[in-house]
Every structure is written in structure tokens, then in C-alpha cells.
Amino acid sequence: MLGLMQEQPLLISSLLSFAARHHGDAEIVSLTVEGPRHRYTYRDAERRARRLAVAIERLGVRRGDRVGTLAWNGYRHYELYFAVSGMGAVIHTINPRLFDEQITYIVDHAEDRVLFADLTFVPLLERVLGGLDRPPAAVVVMTDRQHMPAVALPAGVALHAYEDLVAAADEGFVWPTLDENAAAALCYTSGTTGHPKGVLYSHRSTVLHA
């Protein structure tokens, strides 16, 4: 016999939806690489995360695909965490303090479909891209058109500005109902024997940790 109370999967997207619904006016404040301090609300963050999910799908990312990030803990990285996991893909947060060779191995091993990078890490990104056996389909620099740098990319890799992608998407995305045991986030260990080892987090484990 099964109980009938609270019969819903434990999904990461539900955390942001709850915050937007019940604490929508609460502020998220972060420093930006471009300089100014950025402020907006949970309601704003949820809307932009849904737009970002649409944009990521348009880049060819499907459920189970890995999306790599080289980024600080700013508001855009926050949006990415929810957008990628919420749409059913796997966010792969990459430690930028690892050696270039380790990062190259990690990106290849994870088979990241798209790579997102803060402005700080564009030189690192260029070095890593040059050594990949399996380059991503696209690179997204986490900034606006005004601050977009020139980036040296391998042939066939598309380049986008983060804010352009968000602006071109709509807010009509509906968070899908996923299996709570589905993979949501990927992180590689460091300081281990041999190559870094990937640790795969589920929606369920993340919500329980939260």
C-alpha cells in the first residue's frame, strides 16, 4: 500500500519555483566580473532561468547532455544551475584552479555539449579548447554584447553572448516532470591518484541536501 501525501518528485527546479512563488520579492545580490553589483529578485531569477532553458535547448542540448561551466558564483551561474538541471540536462561545474591538462581531460571525458565561461576564464577556455579531442558545439561567454571579447575557437564551434541568448528566448518554458533520480549535476574530484574522477548528483540527493 502506498501513501497519497505529497506525491511529487524531488526536483531542483522546484526549489527555484518555490522561492519565486513564496519569496518572490527577496533579493539575490552578486558582484559581476564587469564591475557593478547586480541585484534582482527570486521572481526575476526564475523567469530568466526559464528563458535560459529555452536558449540552451536551441543550442542543441537534450536531456542527459552535459553543459560545462567555468564561472564564479554570480547570478548568471545561479541561473545556469537551475536552467540546465531543470530542463533535464546535467550541469558540469569545472574547477578553474585545476591544471590546464586536467581541465582538458575533464571536458573531454564529460563530453560537454556546450561550455559557458565568465570573462575571467576566457584565456583559460581558449587554452583548453585547443587541446580537446571532442570540442563542444558552442561556447557561451557569460556577459552582454557590450563586454563581449574576441575568442579564439576551433573550427565549427559557435560563439554566443549569454545575454543575447536570454533576450532572444521567451518565458513560456515549463519545467518538465523528471525522475527525481535522474542525473542533475556533475563535478570532478581533484587531488586523487590518476585522472580526476566524476561524481554525479541526482535531483533527489541535491534537494535532500538543501
Side-chain angles (χ1 to χ4, degrees):
M1 181 182 296
L2 299 176
L4 302 177
M5 292 280 289
Q6 296 176 304
E7 190 178 356
Q8 65 181 48
L10 302 180
L11 300 178
I12 291 173
S13 57
S14 67
L15 298 175
L16 185 57
S17 295
F18 181 90
R21 185 167 59 249
H22 297 288
H23 307 282
D25 294 329
E27 274 196 326
I28 300 170
V29 183
S30 59
L31 295 176
T32 65
V33 178
E34 295 91 337
R37 182 173 283 116
H38 181 272
R39 295 176 177 270
Y40 70 165
T41 66
Y42 278 121
R43 188 177 296 111
D44 298 327
E46 205 263 346
R47 287 171 179 162
R48 280 175 54 92
R50 284 192 279 114
R51 295 173 76 105
L52 183 58
V54 172
I56 293 171
E57 282 191 339
R58 289 177 179 172
L59 294 178
V61 174
R62 298 294 177 259
R63 291 189 184 184
D65 286 347
R66 274 72 64 203
V67 175
T69 65
L70 281 163
W72 301 112
N73 291 330
Y75 72 100
R76 293 184 180 112
H77 206 184
Y78 181 82
E79 294 165 358
L80 262 171
Y81 191 91
F82 287 102
V84 174
S85 62
M87 64 174 284
V90 180
I91 185 163
H92 171 209
T93 54
I94 304 165
N95 183 355
R97 293 178 175 84
L98 296 176
F99 295 115
D100 287 9
E101 295 78 12
Q102 290 179 314
I103 295 176
T104 300
Y105 169 82
I106 286 169
V107 173
D108 261 338
H109 189 265
E111 299 182 354
D112 290 327
R113 177 76 175 166
V114 178
L115 280 174
F116 284 77
D118 264 331
L119 287 168
T120 309
F121 302 117
V122 167
L124 170 59
L125 177 70
E126 291 177 322
R127 297 195 304 270
V128 168
L129 287 170
L132 292 177
D133 294 327
R134 292 181 291 271
V139 163
V140 182
V141 180
M142 296 163 67
T143 189
D144 54 27
R145 177 57 50 184
Q146 178 183 352
H147 296 91
M148 188 69 177
V151 184
L153 298 177
V157 178
L159 179 65
H160 303 276
Y162 184 99
E163 293 299 333
D164 286 352
L165 293 179
V166 173
D170 59 66
E171 298 177 9
F173 186 85
V174 177
W175 301 118
T177 300
L178 307 168
D179 186 326
E180 64 179 22
N181 293 303
L186 176 62
C187 186
Y188 280 73
T189 62
S190 59
T192 58
T193 302
H195 291 303
K197 311 299 190 297
V199 179
L200 200 56
Y201 298 85
S202 68
H203 284 264
R204 176 180 172 82
S205 69
T206 302
V207 172
L208 290 177
H209 288 163

Coordinates of all heavy atoms in Angstrom, one line a residue, residues 70-114:
L70 N 32.7 27.3 -16.5 CA 33.9 27.9 -15.9 C 33.4 29.3 -15.4 O 33.5 30.2 -16.1 CB 35.0 28.0 -16.9 CG 35.8 26.7 -17.2 CD1 36.6 26.9 -18.5 CD2 36.7 26.3 -16.0
A71 N 33.0 29.4 -14.2 CA 32.3 30.6 -13.7 C 32.4 30.8 -12.2 O 32.5 29.8 -11.5 CB 30.9 30.6 -14.2
W72 N 32.3 32.1 -11.8 CA 32.2 32.4 -10.4 C 30.8 32.2 -9.9 O 29.9 31.9 -10.7 CB 32.6 33.9 -10.2 CG 34.0 34.2 -10.6 CD1 34.4 35.0 -11.7 CD2 35.2 33.7 -10.0 NE1 35.7 35.1 -11.8 CE2 36.3 34.3 -10.8 CE3 35.5 32.9 -9.0 CZ2 37.6 34.1 -10.5 CZ3 36.8 32.7 -8.7 CH2 37.9 33.2 -9.4
N73 N 30.5 32.4 -8.6 CA 29.2 32.3 -8.1 C 28.4 33.5 -8.2 O 27.9 34.1 -7.2 CB 29.3 31.9 -6.6 CG 29.9 30.5 -6.4 OD1 29.7 29.6 -7.2 ND2 30.6 30.3 -5.3
G74 N 28.2 34.0 -9.5 CA 27.3 35.1 -9.7 C 25.9 34.7 -10.1 O 25.6 33.6 -10.2
Y75 N 25.1 35.7 -10.5 CA 23.7 35.5 -10.8 C 23.5 34.7 -12.0 O 22.6 33.9 -12.2 CB 22.9 36.8 -10.8 CG 23.2 37.7 -12.0 CD1 22.3 37.7 -13.1 CD2 24.3 38.5 -12.1 CE1 22.5 38.5 -14.2 CE2 24.5 39.3 -13.2 CZ 23.6 39.3 -14.2 OH 23.8 40.1 -15.3
R76 N 24.4 34.8 -13.0 CA 24.3 34.1 -14.3 C 24.6 32.6 -14.0 O 23.9 31.7 -14.6 CB 25.2 34.6 -15.3 CG 24.8 36.0 -15.8 CD 25.7 36.5 -17.0 NE 25.3 37.8 -17.4 CZ 26.1 38.9 -17.3 NH1 27.3 38.8 -16.7 NH2 25.7 40.1 -17.8
H77 N 25.6 32.3 -13.2 CA 25.9 30.9 -12.9 C 24.7 30.3 -12.1 O 24.4 29.1 -12.2 CB 27.2 30.8 -12.1 CG 27.9 29.5 -12.2 ND1 29.0 29.2 -11.5 CD2 27.6 28.4 -12.9 CE1 29.4 28.0 -11.8 NE2 28.6 27.5 -12.7
Y78 N 24.1 31.1 -11.2 CA 22.9 30.7 -10.5 C 21.8 30.3 -11.4 O 21.2 29.2 -11.3 CB 22.5 31.8 -9.5 CG 21.3 31.5 -8.7 CD1 21.4 30.9 -7.5 CD2 20.0 32.0 -9.0 CE1 20.3 30.6 -6.6 CE2 18.9 31.8 -8.2 CZ 19.1 31.1 -7.0 OH 18.0 30.9 -6.2
E79 N 21.5 31.1 -12.4 CA 20.5 30.8 -13.4 C 20.8 29.5 -14.2 O 20.0 28.7 -14.4 CB 20.4 32.0 -14.4 CG 19.8 33.3 -13.7 CD 20.1 34.5 -14.6 OE1 20.7 34.4 -15.7 OE2 19.6 35.6 -14.2
L80 N 22.1 29.4 -14.5 CA 22.5 28.2 -15.3 C 22.3 26.9 -14.5 O 21.8 25.9 -15.1 CB 24.0 28.3 -15.6 CG 24.4 28.8 -17.0 CD1 25.9 29.1 -17.0 CD2 24.0 27.9 -18.0
Y81 N 22.5 26.9 -13.2 CA 22.4 25.7 -12.4 C 20.9 25.2 -12.5 O 20.7 24.0 -12.7 CB 22.8 26.0 -10.9 CG 22.9 24.8 -10.1 CD1 24.1 24.1 -10.0 CD2 21.7 24.2 -9.5 CE1 24.2 22.9 -9.3 CE2 21.8 23.0 -8.8 CZ 23.0 22.4 -8.7 OH 23.1 21.2 -7.9
F82 N 20.0 26.2 -12.4 CA 18.6 25.8 -12.4 C 18.1 25.5 -13.8 O 17.3 24.5 -14.0 CB 17.7 26.9 -11.8 CG 17.8 26.9 -10.3 CD1 18.6 27.9 -9.7 CD2 17.2 26.0 -9.5 CE1 18.7 27.9 -8.3 CE2 17.3 26.0 -8.1 CZ 18.1 27.0 -7.5
A83 N 18.6 26.3 -14.8 CA 18.1 26.1 -16.2 C 18.6 24.7 -16.7 O 17.8 24.0 -17.3 CB 18.6 27.2 -17.1
V84 N 19.8 24.4 -16.5 CA 20.4 23.1 -17.1 C 19.8 21.9 -16.4 O 19.2 21.0 -17.1 CB 21.9 23.1 -17.0 CG1 22.4 21.8 -17.4 CG2 22.5 24.2 -17.8
S85 N 19.8 21.9 -15.1 CA 19.2 20.7 -14.4 C 17.7 20.7 -14.5 O 17.1 19.6 -14.7 CB 19.6 20.8 -12.9 OG 19.1 21.9 -12.3
G86 N 17.1 21.8 -14.5 CA 15.6 21.9 -14.6 C 15.1 21.4 -16.0 O 14.0 20.8 -16.0
M87 N 15.8 21.5 -17.0 CA 15.4 21.1 -18.3 C 15.7 19.6 -18.6 O 15.3 19.0 -19.5 CB 16.0 21.9 -19.5 CG 17.5 21.8 -19.6 SD 18.2 22.6 -21.0 CE 17.8 21.5 -22.3
G88 N 16.5 19.0 -17.6 CA 16.8 17.6 -17.7 C 18.2 17.3 -18.2 O 18.6 16.1 -18.3
A89 N 19.0 18.3 -18.4 CA 20.4 18.1 -18.8 C 21.2 18.1 -17.5 O 20.7 18.1 -16.4 CB 20.9 19.2 -19.7
V90 N 22.5 18.0 -17.6 CA 23.4 17.8 -16.4 C 24.4 19.0 -16.4 O 25.2 19.2 -17.4 CB 24.2 16.5 -16.5 CG1 25.1 16.4 -15.3 CG2 23.2 15.3 -16.6
I91 N 24.4 19.8 -15.4 CA 25.3 20.9 -15.3 C 26.7 20.4 -14.7 O 26.7 19.7 -13.7 CB 24.8 22.1 -14.4 CG1 25.8 23.3 -14.5 CG2 24.5 21.7 -13.0 CD1 25.2 24.6 -14.0
H92 N 27.7 20.7 -15.5 CA 29.1 20.2 -15.1 C 29.9 21.4 -14.7 O 30.4 22.2 -15.5 CB 29.7 19.5 -16.3 CG 31.1 19.2 -16.1 ND1 32.0 19.1 -17.2 CD2 31.9 18.9 -15.0 CE1 33.2 18.8 -16.7 NE2 33.1 18.7 -15.4
T93 N 30.0 21.7 -13.4 CA 30.8 22.8 -12.9 C 32.3 22.4 -12.8 O 32.6 21.4 -12.2 CB 30.3 23.2 -11.5 OG1 30.3 22.1 -10.6 CG2 28.9 23.8 -11.6
I94 N 33.1 23.2 -13.5 CA 34.5 22.8 -13.7 C 35.3 23.7 -12.8 O 35.2 24.9 -12.7 CB 34.9 23.0 -15.1 CG1 34.1 22.2 -16.1 CG2 36.4 22.7 -15.3 CD1 34.2 22.6 -17.5
N95 N 36.2 23.1 -12.0 CA 37.1 23.9 -11.1 C 38.2 24.6 -11.9 O 39.1 23.9 -12.4 CB 37.7 22.9 -10.1 CG 38.6 23.6 -9.1 OD1 38.8 24.8 -9.1 ND2 39.1 22.9 -8.1
P96 N 38.2 25.9 -12.0 CA 39.2 26.6 -12.8 C 40.6 26.6 -12.2 O 41.5 27.0 -12.9 CB 38.6 28.0 -12.9 CG 37.8 28.2 -11.6 CD 37.2 26.8 -11.4
R97 N 40.7 26.2 -11.0 CA 42.0 26.1 -10.3 C 42.8 24.9 -10.6 O 44.0 24.8 -10.2 CB 41.9 26.3 -8.8 CG 41.3 27.7 -8.5 CD 41.1 27.9 -7.0 NE 40.7 29.2 -6.6 CZ 39.5 29.7 -6.7 NH1 38.5 28.9 -7.0 NH2 39.2 30.9 -6.3
L98 N 42.2 23.9 -11.3 CA 43.0 22.8 -11.7 C 44.0 23.1 -12.9 O 43.8 24.1 -13.5 CB 42.0 21.7 -12.2 CG 41.0 21.1 -11.2 CD1 40.1 20.1 -11.9 CD2 41.7 20.5 -10.1
F99 N 44.9 22.2 -13.1 CA 45.9 22.4 -14.2 C 45.1 22.3 -15.5 O 44.1 21.6 -15.6 CB 46.9 21.3 -14.1 CG 47.8 21.4 -12.9 CD1 47.8 20.4 -12.0 CD2 48.7 22.5 -12.7 CE1 48.6 20.4 -10.9 CE2 49.5 22.5 -11.6 CZ 49.5 21.5 -10.7
D100 N 45.6 23.0 -16.5 CA 45.0 23.0 -17.8 C 44.8 21.6 -18.3 O 43.8 21.3 -18.9 CB 45.9 23.8 -18.8 CG 45.8 25.3 -18.6 OD1 45.3 25.7 -17.6 OD2 46.4 26.0 -19.5
E101 N 45.8 20.7 -18.1 CA 45.7 19.4 -18.7 C 44.6 18.6 -18.0 O 43.9 17.8 -18.7 CB 47.0 18.6 -18.4 CG 48.2 19.2 -19.2 CD 48.8 20.4 -18.5 OE1 48.4 20.8 -17.4 OE2 49.6 21.1 -19.2
Q102 N 44.3 18.9 -16.7 CA 43.2 18.2 -16.0 C 41.9 18.7 -16.5 O 40.9 17.9 -16.7 CB 43.4 18.4 -14.5 CG 44.5 17.7 -13.9 CD 44.7 17.9 -12.4 OE1 44.6 19.1 -11.9 NE2 44.8 16.9 -11.6
I103 N 41.8 20.0 -16.7 CA 40.5 20.6 -17.2 C 40.2 20.0 -18.6 O 39.1 19.7 -18.9 CB 40.6 22.1 -17.2 CG1 40.7 22.6 -15.8 CG2 39.3 22.7 -17.9 CD1 40.9 24.1 -15.7
T104 N 41.3 20.0 -19.5 CA 41.1 19.4 -20.8 C 40.6 18.0 -20.7 O 39.6 17.6 -21.4 CB 42.4 19.5 -21.6 OG1 42.8 20.8 -21.7 CG2 42.2 18.9 -23.0
Y105 N 41.2 17.2 -19.9 CA 40.7 15.8 -19.7 C 39.3 15.8 -19.2 O 38.5 15.0 -19.7 CB 41.6 15.1 -18.7 CG 41.1 13.7 -18.3 CD1 41.2 12.6 -19.1 CD2 40.3 13.6 -17.1 CE1 40.7 11.4 -18.7 CE2 39.7 12.4 -16.7 CZ 39.9 11.3 -17.5 OH 39.4 10.1 -17.2
I106 N 38.9 16.6 -18.3 CA 37.6 16.6 -17.7 C 36.5 16.9 -18.7 O 35.5 16.3 -18.8 CB 37.5 17.6 -16.5 CG1 38.3 17.0 -15.3 CG2 36.1 17.9 -16.1 CD1 38.5 18.0 -14.2
V107 N 36.8 18.0 -19.5 CA 35.8 18.4 -20.5 C 35.6 17.3 -21.6 O 34.5 17.1 -22.0 CB 36.2 19.8 -21.2 CG1 35.3 20.1 -22.3 CG2 36.2 20.9 -20.1
D108 N 36.7 16.7 -22.0 CA 36.6 15.6 -23.0 C 35.9 14.4 -22.4 O 35.0 13.8 -23.0 CB 38.1 15.2 -23.4 CG 38.5 15.8 -24.7 OD1 37.6 16.2 -25.5 OD2 39.7 15.9 -25.0
H109 N 36.3 14.1 -21.1 CA 35.7 12.9 -20.5 C 34.2 13.1 -20.3 O 33.4 12.2 -20.5 CB 36.4 12.6 -19.2 CG 36.0 11.3 -18.6 ND1 35.0 11.2 -17.6 CD2 36.4 10.0 -18.8 CE1 34.9 9.9 -17.2 NE2 35.7 9.2 -17.9
A110 N 33.8 14.3 -19.9 CA 32.3 14.6 -19.7 C 31.6 14.7 -21.0 O 30.3 14.7 -21.0 CB 32.2 15.9 -18.8
E111 N 32.3 15.0 -22.1 CA 31.7 15.2 -23.4 C 30.7 16.4 -23.3 O 29.5 16.2 -23.7 CB 31.0 13.9 -23.9 CG 31.9 12.8 -24.1 CD 31.3 11.5 -24.7 OE1 30.0 11.5 -24.8 OE2 32.0 10.5 -25.0
D112 N 31.1 17.5 -22.8 CA 30.3 18.7 -22.6 C 29.8 19.1 -24.0 O 30.6 19.3 -24.9 CB 31.1 19.8 -22.0 CG 31.3 19.5 -20.5 OD1 30.5 18.9 -19.8 OD2 32.4 20.0 -20.0
R113 N 28.5 19.3 -24.1 CA 27.9 19.7 -25.3 C 28.1 21.2 -25.6 O 28.3 21.6 -26.7 CB 26.4 19.3 -25.3 CG 25.6 19.8 -26.5 CD 25.8 18.9 -27.7 NE 24.9 19.2 -28.8 CZ 25.1 18.8 -30.0 NH1 26.1 17.9 -30.3 NH2 24.3 19.1 -31.0
V114 N 28.0 22.0 -24.5 CA 28.2 23.4 -24.6 C 29.0 23.8 -23.4 O 28.9 23.2 -22.3 CB 26.8 24.2 -24.5 CG1 27.0 25.7 -24.5 CG2 25.9 23.7 -25.7

